[in-house]
Amino acid sequence: MPKKAEELTVGSRVVRVSNPDKVYFPARGITKIQVVRYYLAVAAPLLSVLRDRPTTLKRYVDGVEGEAFYQKRLPKGAPEWVETARVKFPSGRPADEVCPTEEAVLAWAANLGTFDFHPWPVRRSDTDHPDELRVDLDPQPGTDFRDAVEVALVLREVLAELGMTGYPKTSGGRGVHVAVRIRPSWDFVDVRHAVIALAREVERRVPERATTSWWKEERGERVFLDFNQAARDRTIASAWSVRGTPRATVSTPVTWDDLSTVDPDDFDVLSVPGYLAEHGDPHAALDSESFGLETLLEWYEKDPRGELPYPPDYPKMPGEPPRVQPSKARKVD
């Protein structure tokens, strides 16, 4: 007979896991309690990523084959020890998002069906000035993880020339994410402009492999450097997050040396705790040094192409080109 609930002692808290035997990943037979225990196994490095950051929860209450949704506000009935951070969306509306501060929050969130944690690139002490520059390398149809790796290595070269250190991880799918710690001295618009400048330089060096084209019809079989992931309220799955794939893959930090040899499908809920125990946290030094954006912003200002389109749900931004895909744009005689 299936268990109705299981109680876990996590630090000084008791976290109740309802329906612990509920199957979340049918292809692998992975259950809710296995996902909860996975998050406790990786709690230390995960909290180093999430602590004091407003965090959106991507919830799969019916498992990977159900419909997912993003929980952007503290759920009703949350324990009093689940802390929050106040953020402001592009519309100007505020919200109190979950702000993980202890291991029990991870177990509580996993019990709600949270697979991925999506932290903002800010700390709750200053939610208007990001302290992390993130680059999302997204393979387009006809390309794959290996193509993303090749472009990521070019990105690493550009960062090195700027005197900056990036930390790569698998996305949990076909892509690659790279994080750079920055000083919280610039707002979201500036940080997005810095990502645009960085992406354009990568594109300039390998135009046959990389693209910054917002419109899919122009990307071709290249890796898209998604600059809009740097816009306010746009987030990517954190390191150590479980992804909504049949294999229960995990977005996993790796070293630059290992990036070229790993198979992202090898990192999943069942294997990553052992990987962490053997290799430690490849991103442990991420907070050891922060960098400035002065040079990247100079590049952006000198580039005559200027601004790129924002996502369609954003208010019209200063200097932004029309949000009309080129093939549908009105021809001017």
Side-chain angles (χ1 to χ4, degrees):
M1 185 175 180
K3 285 185 180 180
K4 291 185 178 179
E6 183 171 338
E7 291 189 343
L8 301 176
T9 300
V10 184
S12 62
R13 316 293 187 190
V14 174
V15 179
R16 183 177 182 273
V17 180
S18 60
N19 302 312
D21 297 329
K22 183 175 183 178
V23 177
Y24 270 176
F25 295 90
R28 306 288 302 282
I30 295 171
T31 62
K32 176 193 275 195
I33 193 64
Q34 286 178 287
V35 173
V36 174
R37 292 190 183 281
Y38 161 77
Y39 274 123
L40 293 178
V42 301
L46 177 56
L47 276 179
S48 72
V49 174
L50 300 180
R51 185 177 283 110
D52 291 327
R53 295 189 185 279
T55 300
T56 299
L57 311 178
K58 190 173 184 181
R59 295 175 58 188
Y60 293 76
V61 295
D62 294 316
V64 71
E65 294 183 352
E67 186 173 346
F69 66 96
Y70 289 93
Q71 182 84 50
K72 292 193 174 186
R73 289 176 169 81
L74 181 72
K76 292 181 179 179
E80 51 85 21
W81 41 264
V82 178
E83 299 186 27
T84 61
R86 173 63 61 96
V87 294
K88 187 182 294 183
F89 298 129
S91 65
R93 291 182 297 109
D96 294 318
E97 291 210 338
V98 172
C99 186
T101 55
E102 57 180 292
E103 293 186 9
V105 174
L106 308 179
W108 164 81
N111 177 59
L112 295 180
T114 300
F115 286 0
D116 350 15
F117 294 88
H118 284 247
W120 282 46
V122 299
R123 309 281 183 176
R124 63 175 166 177
S125 59
D126 183 356
T127 58
D128 289 322
H129 296 89
D131 71 343
E132 189 165 282
L133 182 150
R134 298 168 177 172
V135 184
D136 179 7
L137 297 100
D138 183 12
Q140 299 302 289
T143 63
D144 58 18
F145 177 74
R146 295 298 158 204
D147 296 294
V149 169
E150 291 302 315
V151 175
L153 293 175
V154 177
L155 171 66
R156 184 193 188 190
E157 293 175 359
V158 178
L159 289 173
E161 291 170 17
L162 290 164
M164 305 170 82
T165 302
Y167 292 80
K169 67 182 179 73
T170 66
S171 69
R174 299 182 307 126
V176 174
H177 299 156
V178 178
V180 179
R181 182 66 68 241
I182 59 174
R183 298 192 300 274
S185 303
W186 295 271
D187 63 16
F188 278 94
V189 173
D190 284 335
V191 173
R192 179 177 171 276
H193 288 168
V195 174
I196 288 173
L198 182 59
R200 280 172 167 166
E201 177 59 19
V202 173
E203 180 183 38
R204 185 189 70 79
R205 296 187 185 197
V206 283
E208 74 288 353
R209 292 177 177 268
T211 180
T212 59
S213 297
W214 176 244
W215 304 108
K216 291 183 179 180
E217 65 185 32
E218 295 183 334
R219 294 177 190 170
E221 294 186 0
R222 292 179 288 179
V223 174
F224 173 51
L225 292 101
D226 190 353
F227 51 87
N228 269 333
Q229 293 291 24
R232 180 186 288 270
D233 191 34
R234 281 298 190 271
T235 56
I236 59 178
S238 75
W240 311 106
S241 272
V242 179
R243 306 309 308 274
T245 64
R247 286 191 54 82
T249 51
V250 169
S251 181
T252 307
V254 295
T255 65
W256 283 108
D257 288 342
D258 289 340
L259 183 63
S260 297
T261 61
V262 299
D263 183 337
D265 282 347
D266 288 342
F267 298 121
D268 58 39
V269 166
L270 303 180
S271 66
V272 166
Y275 166 82
L276 174 61
E278 180 179 354
H279 298 278
D281 180 6
H283 288 191
L286 177 58
D287 289 327
S288 65
E289 186 177 10
S290 58
F291 303 96
L293 300 180
E294 292 87 350
T295 300
L296 285 171
L297 292 174
E298 287 177 11
W299 290 0
Y300 178 83
E301 289 300 324
K302 292 178 180 177
D303 193 318
R305 290 171 291 182
E307 187 60 278
L308 287 171
Y310 273 77
D313 58 321
Y314 276 62
K316 186 71 173 178
M317 299 297 286
E320 184 185 359
R323 296 179 190 174
V324 182
Q325 65 189 73
S327 62
K328 293 184 179 180
R330 179 180 297 174
K331 300 289 191 298
V332 178
D333 295 332

